[in-house]
Amino acid sequence: GRFYYRTGQAENSESYFVDAFLTRPKNIDAQSALIEILTYKMTYKSPDEVVQTTREYYENYEELRRNNAFTSLYASFTLSAASQSYSLGNSVKGREYLDQFENIFTDNLEVNTYLISDAYISAAVHYFGKGNSSLAKRYINKGLQYSPGNYQLLQLKQSL
């Protein structure tokens, strides 16, 4: 799998990385390889597909739920998908992704604060555009719970 991945043929490496993980799910190298391929998949698969695949691994393998790198990646994917969903006007999907994020979030995850602000700002802008400024404010405040002091969220909070 690593041969394919390192020679620019990552699509061919996926089955090897998955097999390695399924054979030895507690092995850190197998977990890391799975994380690598999921990260790569984000570049050519839809956010829905990537979140679904990542969620299935998360729900089915306790070893991955305990792996902060994997959980951080899953959290990041859900935030990206939420932002995209709200930007496309799909508040049902956006809310679903934010719920997933909120259910797995812990203080020891490493999640880019830009992803947090982008997702919650997208939700707020969506609801503000629909005339629901109180719900928009709730999303800004919720984003600030996960990223206290975030400049973009604070700016939007002042303008609402």
Side-chain angles (χ1 to χ4, degrees):
R2 291 208 185 272
F3 169 78
Y4 287 120
Y5 190 80
R6 289 189 178 132
T7 59
Q9 302 173 60
E11 307 84 36
N12 297 328
S13 69
E14 182 176 0
S15 64
Y16 293 101
F17 286 163
V18 171
D19 287 344
F21 171 74
L22 294 176
T23 304
R24 299 183 66 199
K26 292 183 180 182
N27 182 283
I28 297 298
D29 287 335
Q31 291 177 21
S32 296
L34 184 63
I35 291 168
E36 282 181 53
I37 198 63
L38 288 171
T39 302
Y40 175 77
K41 281 179 87 165
M42 190 64 178
T43 63
Y44 70 93
K45 295 282 186 182
S46 75
D48 285 337
E49 290 177 82
V50 176
V51 170
Q52 180 61 34
T53 301
T54 309
R55 181 180 183 177
E56 288 171 7
Y57 282 116
Y58 181 84
E59 290 175 348
N60 292 317
Y61 296 98
E62 184 178 339
E63 296 83 3
L64 293 176
R65 287 191 299 274
R66 289 188 304 229
N67 183 316
N68 279 345
F70 181 84
T71 305
S72 295
L73 185 68
Y74 176 33
S76 297
F77 288 164
T78 61
L79 290 167
S80 293
S83 178
Q84 182 181 48
S85 295
Y86 278 113
S87 295
L88 295 172
N90 190 341
S91 61
V92 173
K93 274 288 203 193
R95 181 67 244 165
E96 179 184 313
Y97 290 129
L98 287 180
D99 285 344
Q100 286 180 48
F101 168 73
E102 292 167 8
N103 287 330
I104 64 171
F105 182 82
T106 62
D107 288 334
N108 59 342
L109 292 183
E110 294 181 25
V111 180
N112 186 313
T113 58
Y114 171 77
L115 292 175
I116 294 171
S117 66
D118 192 47
Y120 284 92
I121 288 171
S122 293
V125 167
H126 172 82
Y127 290 111
F128 187 79
K130 300 277 185 190
N132 194 338
S133 60
S134 65
L135 188 54
K137 289 176 186 177
R138 275 191 265 162
Y139 275 98
I140 294 301
N141 288 327
K142 191 70 147 171
L144 286 166
Q145 289 177 3
Y146 296 106
S147 183
N150 183 289
Y151 179 76
Q152 289 93 355
L153 289 166
L154 289 170
Q155 286 293 103
L156 190 54
K157 182 178 181 176
Q158 287 180 345
S159 68
L160 291 177

